[in-house]
Structure formats: C-alpha cells, structure tokens
Amino acid sequence: MATEINNEKKLADTLLYKKKSAFERFDAEERSAAMAYAEGYKDYLDNAKTEREAVKKSIAILEENGYVPYDFGENVAVGGKYYYNNRGKSLYAFRVGSEPIIEGVRILAAHIDSPRLDLKQNPLYEDSGMGYFKTHYYGGIRKYQWITVPLALHGTVILADGSSAYVNIGEEPGDPVFCVTDLLPHLGKEQNNKTLATAFNGENLSILIASSPLVENGEVTEEDDKVKLCVMKYLNDKYGMTEEDFISAELCAVPAGKCVDVGLDRWMIGAYGHDDTVCAYPALTALLESDGSPHTVMCILADKEETGSDGATGMQSGLLCDMIETIASAMGEKGAAVRAKSMCLSADVAAGFDPLYSDVFDKKNVAFMNFGVAMAKYTGSGGKYSTNDADAEFVGFIRKIFAEKNVLWQTAELGKVDAGGGGTVAKYIANLNITTVDMGVPVLSMHAPFEVISKADLYSAHTAFKAFCL
Ligand code: MN
Ligand code: MN
C-alpha cells in the first residue's frame, strides 16, 4: 500500500527523511521552556559530581515530591511513590501505576558515575618538598585532558572507629584546588615524538596537594616526611583522619567549579559530568511528572557504568531483577512475567557530531547538536559486537509515541563502523528479558573535564522520557 501523497506538500517532504533542528521546530514557548529547564539541570549537576552526591541530591528531590523509602518485601499501593537507596551509590525510584503490574514497567535507566581520577588506597607521598596523591583513573579518559586542570576532592572516608566523613574541597569560593602538572614546552622535545597513547603515563597522574612542611610553634618540624605531616595535620584537624584511613576511603578528584553557559547565545552548557547527568536529570524529572500515567514507571540511577557496570551498585548486579520481583510479588505476580512485558530507555549520552573531527563520524548516522535527543538502536563495536540491538518493532513503537507527542529526536550511531566503539547499560537490562533501546543527549568532548551539550537536546530528552512514561 502506497503512502497517501498530500498534494499541498512537495513529494520530497513526504517521502524523504529530513532532520530539523530545534530552532526550526521549537516555537517561542518551547524555546523559553528549554532555557528554563536548563537552569534546574545546572543546579542538579553542580550538586551531583559523584554518584554519592547524585543519590543524595536525587533523594532530596524525590522526597520533596512525595516519594518514600522502600525496602524488599514491603507492600506497594497503586499511586504509591517509592525509592530504594542502594548503598548510597545507586538509586531505584518508582511510581506504581493504575494498570495491572503484569503489563510491565516503563524503565528509564541512566548512570550517575563519570570519569575522574580516584585516589589510590595508599595515596600520599612527598617528593622534593611537595606533597602528592597517587591516583588510578576511573573510566575511559584521554589522560592529557586531565593535566593542568583545577581539581576538587570529593568523597567519603570511613574512619577507624567506623564513622564516616564527607570530603568536599575545592568547590566553595575561597577553597584551594589541586592539579596534575605538565611538562613545559621548552623541554618537551623528546615527549613530542611519542604517540598520544604513550606520552602520558597513568602512574604519573599524581595530584599536587601541598608544598610546605609542617610548621609547629613557628619552627619546621624535625620529623621526617615533613610535607606529608603537613597534609595529614590538615586532614586530621578537618576530618579526624589518619593516613591509614585512606585505605577505607573513596576519594575522587573531579574538575573544580560550577557549570557554565557556552556561546554568546547561551544555548549550550559546559561542565564536568554531562555523561551521564544530562540523561539522569531528565529521567528523574520525567518520573516526577508521570503522576497521571497508568503505567508503573521506574527511574534507575546506576553506578559503575564507566567501568563496565560490575559490582553491587552497577547494572550487572541482580538488583533490577530482584526489585521487579519484589514489586511484582507485592502485587501478586511473578517478576519474570513482569520483566517480559517491561520496556526500558537506556538513557545515556551520544557522541555529538564535531566538525573539527568530522572524519571519524558517518554524517548520515551521527547525532547533531540541537537536533534533539538521539536514539541508538545499537552501540558496541567491530560488527555490532557486545551490544543490545533493539528490535525494529520497539523502535517503531517509540517512533510512533514521539511523533504523537511532538518530540524532537534523531537516530544516531557513535561513529564510523571501524573507528572504535562503546557501550551502555542497555545490554545488561536487555539481558534480563526487558525490551531496551538507547536514548540520550549528544555531547561534544565526551569524557573530557569540560563536556558540552545543547539545552535544546537536554529539553528534548526530558520531553522524550516523559512521553515514554505517560
Ligand atoms: Mn554514559
Ligand atoms: Mn561515558
């Protein structure tokens, strides 16, 4: 059966796929709604640089909106709003819809961990009168990008008595910051001949933390390890820490400072951690705005995506399976049957087309900035290896919802077929027999200390996730 041709339109408008940007599609109301929505995101982002901070901030927002803590085995009620805090590092929030749970759950799954420099468990040393923290980078970074960037320290220390201290240095006005130093160009002759992969060494990403010895009563201490003592005296005064406490700490160095608008027109945001807070926030707000929906809606904010989703707080743990089981059994059903009918948007960022590096992208199949939220049917690498590949039926279902709800979206593949690759949590969720597709905001400079996104795409992610939930 042929498509009905509307004589008012040109044939090409009916038959050919043409993308339109937000600036062609949005009316004045949508443009100001996108700008206003971005301000809420910026506040969230500045308070969610690590997974622990994102969980804390998200719980505060959920509680303001009537969500209450949930534990395994507890009853759930239609219309009830719950959250499960998994070890302070990942979060499952859900609202029970009016339709039978056997119809499945609509899941939005984003991650709240981002690439950074983690301190090693025995990090502190001094050399040539300066104090350093040794690091082991977390996630896929281009090492050179993290050198000569002001860094802040965030994290949690479990002290010897079992109590915990929350560390945050470098974010408040007047706070000191830290950095990894670099070679001066005048002496870079030999390094200049190395490849990017060999010129920067992970073991060398040590953070400059202090540059003075401990001074007691006006005198430099006579003890050895003078600079280390200076550092530990400070940390002990402020947090009650001894050096051994680093062993039971999770301390991360992340780029210091708040997010900022980018561009004279202010349509972009530059920040650390857009991947994947730029999808986590729209997922959370879509859940909050799903109150009238008949569906049971769940928002997952996962940890450990950047390192392969392993561990109890990553998406490869059994928690999602268990969570659906406990909700299903509270409503007299089996988890397996509920999973079989559930659907998930794996809310993770896409690579935005960068004209400065155009040769790694396929221009017909890449996400462009300001053209809306990007759907990736598959990710993976080297011949669709190691990926969920959403079925055409599900992609068609989503397409139809987005057309009905006027969502600005585009299709996207990471880059050229043999250029590289990457993955998301999609495959781990799909492996639980949950229909899943990747959907997220295009990002420039992904995994750099300063990533860039478009406010129009951020807003489109919110409208897309909301359309899926309703
Ligand atoms: Mn991501
Ligand atoms: Mn990532």
Side-chain angles (χ1 to χ4, degrees):
M1 191 172 65
T3 301
E4 200 177 307
I5 305 293
N6 182 338
N7 290 325
E8 309 279 300
K9 282 183 172 179
K10 285 185 190 156
L11 194 59
D13 288 343
T14 305
L15 295 183
L16 303 184
Y17 173 51
K18 281 189 185 138
K19 301 213 282 191
K20 276 192 175 166
S21 84
F23 304 109
E24 295 165 287
R25 278 274 302 271
F26 285 4
D27 59 21
E29 199 180 313
E30 283 171 303
R31 280 199 289 274
S32 56
M35 280 292 192
Y37 183 79
E39 294 307 305
Y41 169 59
K42 284 157 69 178
D43 176 64
Y44 180 87
L45 181 59
D46 284 336
N47 290 286
K49 286 193 177 184
T50 65
E51 62 279 1
R52 287 178 189 271
E53 291 170 357
V55 165
K56 216 168 138 196
K57 177 74 180 169
S58 302
I59 288 176
I61 294 172
L62 286 164
E63 288 186 343
E64 274 168 30
N65 284 275
Y67 282 73
V68 297
Y70 176 78
D71 209 348
F72 282 95
E74 289 180 358
N75 281 332
V76 295
V78 171
K81 300 174 180 182
Y82 310 94
Y83 69 84
Y84 181 80
N85 174 355
N86 181 21
R87 300 163 165 89
K89 299 185 67 162
S90 74
L91 189 63
Y92 289 62
F94 60 98
R95 191 195 125 273
V96 180
S98 53
E99 73 180 7
I101 192 74
I102 198 73
E103 297 300 322
V105 179
R106 303 243 170 148
I107 302 168
L108 297 164
H111 68 90
I112 46 176
D113 60 318
S114 300
R116 63 194 182 216
L117 303 178
D118 278 351
L119 298 203
K120 290 194 184 194
Q121 290 339 108
N122 187 17
L124 181 59
Y125 72 97
E126 66 175 271
D127 193 343
S128 313
M130 293 189 285
Y132 294 91
F133 282 147
K134 292 181 76 90
T135 67
H136 192 139
Y137 58 93
Y138 175 96
I141 63 164
R142 312 196 83 195
K143 296 184 190 95
Y144 69 89
Q145 295 177 338
W146 291 74
I147 296 170
T148 68
V149 172
L151 299 170
L153 265 188
H154 292 230
T156 295
V157 185
I158 306 303
L159 304 173
D161 65 1
S163 64
S164 71
Y166 169 64
V167 174
N168 184 312
I169 312 170
E171 300 292 359
E172 294 304 318
D175 269 8
V177 296
F178 317 100
C179 67
V180 179
T181 55
D182 198 5
L183 192 56
L184 62 169
H186 317 68
L187 298 178
K189 207 171 159 187
E190 196 187 318
Q191 190 197 42
N192 289 348
N193 293 325
K194 293 184 180 173
T195 62
L196 261 186
T198 58
F200 306 92
N201 171 345
E203 206 58 53
N204 237 5
L205 292 176
S206 287
I207 298 169
L208 183 57
I209 187 82
S211 63
S212 69
L214 179 66
V215 175
E216 288 173 310
N217 308 319
E219 300 282 327
V220 170
T221 180
E222 287 178 3
E223 310 251 9
D224 294 336
D225 299 326
K226 295 173 172 50
V227 183
K228 280 180 70 177
L229 276 172
C230 169
V231 171
M232 284 320 306
K233 180 77 171 59
Y234 177 86
L235 293 176
N236 188 266
D237 287 348
K238 188 151 185 201
Y239 302 110
M241 275 184 78
T242 66
E243 191 181 6
E244 197 175 335
D245 295 332
F246 281 116
I247 295 171
S248 51
E250 287 180 346
L251 290 168
C252 326
V254 298
K258 294 187 188 308
C259 59
V260 289
D261 286 345
V262 172
L264 292 171
D265 51 11
R266 295 181 173 266
W267 268 102
M268 296 175 286
I269 302 170
Y272 163 70
H274 282 314
D275 177 6
D276 186 31
T277 315
V278 76
C279 297
Y281 182 72
L284 188 64
T285 56
L287 171 70
L288 298 179
E289 292 178 21
S290 74
D291 277 4
S293 169
H295 311 300
T296 295
V297 176
M298 179 183 281
C299 169
I300 303 174
L301 301 180
D303 180 29
K304 294 281 175 281
E305 192 279 338
E306 294 296 356
T307 56
S309 297
D310 290 294
T313 55
M315 282 314 298
Q316 292 206 64
S317 89
L319 181 54
L320 174 55
C321 204
D322 293 347
M323 190 58 59
I324 291 182
E325 180 61 47
T326 186
I327 298 167
S329 66
M331 308 198 84
E333 300 290 352
K334 292 266 185 284
V338 174
R339 278 189 281 122
K341 293 289 284 292
S342 293
M343 294 185 275
C344 174
L345 296 185
S346 162
D348 205 345
V349 296
F353 176 76
D354 187 338
L356 301 184
Y357 300 96
S358 60
D359 53 342
V360 298
F361 299 105
D362 166 14
K363 269 187 115 167
K364 276 185 73 69
N365 289 283
V366 65
F368 284 85
M369 301 294 280
N370 295 315
F371 279 75
V373 68
M375 169 150 66
K377 187 173 177 297
Y378 52 85
T379 60
S381 62
K384 292 195 173 182
Y385 184 79
S386 199
T387 181
N388 168 58
D389 190 348
D391 54 62
E393 287 82 354
F394 187 49
V395 174
F397 172 80
I398 297 292
R399 232 185 104 189
K400 194 159 167 288
I401 293 177
F402 286 179
E404 285 162 6
K405 303 272 170 62
N406 200 29
V407 172
L408 181 68
W409 70 281
Q410 54 186 324
T411 179
E413 189 166 331
L414 189 63
K416 278 187 176 161
V417 174
D418 291 326
T424 66
V425 298
K427 63 177 176 177
Y428 307 117
I429 295 171
N431 289 349
L432 298 176
N433 195 28
I434 296 172
T435 304
T436 303
V437 72
D438 276 299
M439 183 86 56
V441 174
V443 177
L444 297 178
S445 309
M446 194 192 293
H447 286 200
F450 189 79
E451 304 173 313
V452 176
I453 60 101
S454 137
K455 293 180 185 177
D457 299 334
L458 165 68
Y459 182 69
S460 300
H462 171 71
T463 54
F465 298 164
K466 200 173 151 181
F468 173 71
C469 293
L470 292 179

